[in-house]
Amino acid sequence: MTAQPDSGPIGLRQVVALCGELSSLATTDCDLEQVVALVAERAGVWATVVDDSLAPLVKSPSPPGSVGTPAHRLTNVLESDTQTVAQLVAAASSMRRALSLPASGASAASLVVAPVLVGDDAVAYLVTAGHDVDETGEDARIMVTEHAAMVCAVVLGRRRIVALAAGRARRELFDGLVLVGDRTEADVDGWAQHLGIDPGGRHRVLVVALYPGTGKPAPAAIDMVEHMLATRCPAAIVVNRGSEVVALVPGDDDTELTRQLTALARLCREAVAVRFPDVRSIAGLGDAHPGAARISASYGEARRAVDIGRLMAGLSDVIVFAELGVHRLFAQVRNPRELGGYARDVLGELIDHDQKNGTEYCGTLAAYFGENGSLRRASALMHTHPNTVAYRVHRAEEITGLDLSSYSDRLAVQVALEIVNGLGGNP
């Protein structure tokens, strides 16, 4: 009979027997589901394997009527107190051993997190929830969880070997598809078919590039982004290129797909920021183009979007090439000082006035132009009266000596405001 996850702690003899069973399981062609199920059944706990973003890769089934059980409480903790669990995961990864989080109340479940180590990388985490009535019970569960995590590492290590071989093949095919010159249409279609891409369909490219503070980006960070893109966008062909992860996504330039891909890229960036705070990530999304030969155009757009995001840190965290507008021209200026110098030539006195006196003239001009010169809409955006907006616009003209009724002055101010925004307000 299968033990219910609330059946209580196990003793030392059971721990030794269970670790032996787990070791035997590692010699077979087992999967994560078998490891987690064995731990849950024999240790009387609820278990799950999660990735860096705390998304479950596999979990033990919840027994009927599980409300109030460790299974139910662990689910609640993972969903409602992600910061605490993320801190425990980060600590376990850093210390490279299992750590426990005691129960906060008599009816609550304690957690144990053990890193799943493949080589030098923590590729996943085994989390168990249960009741530990004393220190002996807690120590036993830590031993079981840590040993089970070693078996999970064997399983994932096998997968990694296969994934590395497949990844190298995908990378070579991708490079041939978008980077090699003098290609015939038949060559391009052939590479696309080998990648599993419909040569006649429309595809767009999402690039997530990683830039560490020093040296090369951590392989674990790249692997994490690759895994997140592959699991959350199963229709995409995901390619790990060492310092960037590329997703070839089928579909047209519709608003919903753009929203979904932007949200996914943002999720990847947030996960990188939490786990690898010294690594900066920038995401760029190209347009959809028909035919395999045009995939290179979408990749080029996504890469340009990334380059623009790196140059202009004040832009959105995920750069959509189709929405860049005039910023595409700014990217041709490789020295940000040139852009900043132009902005200060036009708006320097106004920027200094705002900083010195706490006024909002630059912000008011941005709102005014953003609302196509409508005082009413600009005032609603800034939560003030239209007369206040009109006064600030007039004062901005006096301070800068510019005439906003002049086409050339108005254009210069709007371009300067875009530069100020793109550079994060500090030209």
Side-chain angles (χ1 to χ4, degrees), residues 178-243:
V178 303
L179 300 179
V180 177
D182 299 326
R183 302 160 299 161
T184 67
E185 185 173 344
D187 288 338
V188 174
D189 289 350
W191 280 317
Q193 289 173 339
H194 283 304
L195 272 172
I197 296 171
D198 175 13
R202 295 178 68 90
H203 292 80
R204 65 194 310 180
V205 173
L206 171 66
V207 172
V208 180
L210 277 65
Y211 299 96
T214 57
K216 296 182 179 180
I222 290 287
D223 290 347
M224 182 183 72
V225 172
E226 180 185 13
H227 174 76
M228 292 179 68
L229 290 178
T231 55
R232 288 167 172 80
C233 190
I237 303 297
V238 179
V239 181
N240 181 335
R241 303 194 66 246
S243 61

Side-chain angles (χ1 to χ4, degrees), residues 7-19 42-44 133-134 136-141 143-144:
S7 59
I10 60 176
L12 181 59
R13 183 175 299 175
Q14 292 96 324
V15 169
V16 173
L18 177 54
C19 288
R42 297 295 303 279
V133 296
D134 53 29
T136 302
E138 180 182 5
D139 291 342
R141 186 148 63 88
M143 291 173 60
V144 167

